[in-house]
Amino acid sequence: MATEIKVPALGESVTEGTIGEWLKQPGDTVAVDEPIVSLETDKVAVEVPSPVAGVVGELRAAVGDTVEVGAVIATVEDGVAAGEATKVEPREAPAPAPAAPESGDGAQTLSPAVRRAVLEHGVDPSTIKGSGKDGRLTKEDVVAAAKAKSASPAPAATAETSPAPAPAETGGARREERVKMTRMRQTIAKRLKGAQENAALLTTFNDVDMSAVIEAREKYKDLFAKKHDIRLGFMGFFAKASCLALKDVPSVNAYIEDDEIVYHDYVDISVAVSAPNGLVVPVIRDAQDKGFARIEKDIADFGKRAKDGTLTMDDMKGGTFTISNGGVFGSLMSTPIINPPQSAVLGLHRIEDRPVVRDGEIVIRPMMYIALSYDHRLIDGREAVTALKIIKEAIEDPTRMLIDL
């Protein structure tokens, strides 16, 4: 008996997705809840598991095909022994190239998390012995192999060793490669271009002395980690400082919908994090009611799941304000772009020692440039500058966050 594999519900208002990769091919055995296919939506990649154990039968869509929610995209033969299912290729479409084997003697495909780990650590999956079920390669296997590789000393040169031959001349040949944009990257491009076309974008800047926050982190980091089992980072400070600013300047936490302005009495902060397929913005719900530990845990969880590709549509739904930290990549200054329909985004940058004047003397302080990009249709310059100034003052004097000042 064949079980149909259908496109699951992908989130509110999402009616279709794109076949990103077939993780199983016709004739492959599959366990209950084992992923068969990766679907790309506008925001996330979703793995579709098999509801039964058996053998993959027919694939009814090819990589790159757009499929609607509820559509049958494959079948699984219940309880059929490996090799007994008829291999049916996707309809009149090139079959995807086989993935690299999971272990040196296997022919299983790599899961998305394992593929990402392989690319990140630059290891050859065919040289790693898998520790998972049926010898499948796991992410932990890849990480362990990478650590072992980096720990292995390079062979020492000897007097008898001949110098390596110079690389042969290539004749100046140049190559180019064309890669189809993923559905997520296409959506990102459309949304960002739409933000430029539909909003009156403007950016205001300020700089922040990070001395007080750095001192607080250094003083309490061990106690904080021991009590809450999470590292005390900078994002918690900026999230709480933003809540103060948005409370005092509500237009920065609002957005335009048709001919109305929608205000919010809560702060849902979208945090920009990097994922393998592009930038994603999961949301910290009700940040105004959360403490530092809960915010740091939310951010850490988002970062891990973005890297693993397990964020869901619900994780990124909504959001009233965005914080983007380009400083982790070394950015000194930038003009971040708003995340529609939101009206403002806070950009953070790298911290570096710079000379500043304090009490008439030139001193060295750890400084950071911060930027607030905003929709001038809704937010006046005075309001934007005021909001950024509140954030600056709260970071330079964290006590303000404790007494709501």
Side-chain angles (χ1 to χ4, degrees), residues 119-200:
L119 293 174
E120 178 181 349
H121 295 285
V123 296
D124 182 358
S126 63
T127 64
I128 307 173
K129 182 174 179 61
S131 63
K133 183 179 179 181
D134 299 326
R136 292 180 64 85
L137 196 63
T138 67
K139 179 181 177 182
E140 289 71 23
D141 295 332
V142 176
V143 173
K147 290 182 178 179
K149 179 180 177 182
S150 62
S152 301
T158 64
E160 292 78 13
T161 303
S162 301
E169 293 292 334
T170 62
R174 301 189 302 170
R175 298 188 304 169
E176 62 181 33
E177 181 182 7
R178 292 179 180 268
V179 179
K180 183 176 176 60
M181 293 175 68
T182 64
R183 188 183 185 94
M184 183 186 297
R185 176 52 60 184
Q186 293 178 48
T187 300
I188 291 172
K190 291 177 182 177
R191 284 174 60 84
L192 295 183
K193 186 58 180 176
Q196 288 183 319
E197 293 175 348
N198 298 324

Side-chain angles (χ1 to χ4, degrees), residues 233-311:
F234 290 116
M235 285 293 287
F237 287 92
F238 279 100
K240 296 304 291 183
S242 296
C243 289
L244 284 181
L246 302 181
K247 178 181 178 181
D248 286 358
V249 190
S251 61
V252 181
N253 195 43
Y255 59 76
I256 295 174
E257 188 174 89
D258 298 326
D259 60 350
E260 296 179 329
I261 299 174
V262 181
Y263 291 96
H264 307 91
D265 66 353
Y266 55 87
V267 179
D268 284 354
I269 299 180
S270 302
V271 182
V273 295
S274 293
N277 293 331
L279 194 70
V280 293
V281 280
V283 180
I284 302 173
R285 314 281 177 192
D286 294 314
Q288 79 284 351
D289 296 330
K290 292 183 176 179
F292 280 77
R294 184 66 265 168
I295 290 175
E296 292 291 354
K297 287 180 179 179
D298 286 350
I299 293 172
D301 177 59
F302 289 150
K304 181 180 183 302
R305 290 198 287 136
K307 188 175 182 179
D308 293 341
T310 57
L311 286 172

Side-chain angles (χ1 to χ4, degrees), residues 58-231:
E58 179 183 4
L59 306 185
R60 298 186 182 178
V63 172
D65 282 357
T66 297
V67 290
E68 296 184 351
V69 171
V72 177
I73 54 176
T75 60
V76 172
E77 303 292 336
D78 302 3
V80 178
E84 292 183 9
T86 302
K87 292 193 176 185
V88 182
E89 298 298 328
R91 48 178 176 76
E92 299 182 3
E102 288 237 0
S103 60
D105 57 355
Q108 298 173 332
T109 56
L110 303 175
S111 70
V114 172
R115 285 196 306 278
R116 282 187 287 273
V118 166
L119 293 174
E120 178 181 349
H121 295 285
V123 296
D124 182 358
S126 63
T127 64
I128 307 173
K129 182 174 179 61
S131 63
K133 183 179 179 181
D134 299 326
R136 292 180 64 85
L137 196 63
T138 67
K139 179 181 177 182
E140 289 71 23
D141 295 332
V142 176
V143 173
K147 290 182 178 179
K149 179 180 177 182
S150 62
S152 301
T158 64
E160 292 78 13
T161 303
S162 301
E169 293 292 334
T170 62
R174 301 189 302 170
R175 298 188 304 169
E176 62 181 33
E177 181 182 7
R178 292 179 180 268
V179 179
K180 183 176 176 60
M181 293 175 68
T182 64
R183 188 183 185 94
M184 183 186 297
R185 176 52 60 184
Q186 293 178 48
T187 300
I188 291 172
K190 291 177 182 177
R191 284 174 60 84
L192 295 183
K193 186 58 180 176
Q196 288 183 319
E197 293 175 348
N198 298 324
L201 294 179
L202 195 62
T203 303
T204 183
F205 298 92
N206 215 317
D207 61 356
V208 177
D209 186 341
M210 298 292 293
S211 299
V213 167
I214 291 175
E215 182 181 349
R217 290 181 70 232
E218 186 64 28
K219 183 176 181 179
Y220 297 111
K221 64 179 182 180
D222 293 336
L223 288 174
F224 189 88
K226 183 178 180 180
K227 180 175 181 178
H228 301 292
D229 195 27
I230 190 69
R231 173 177 172 270

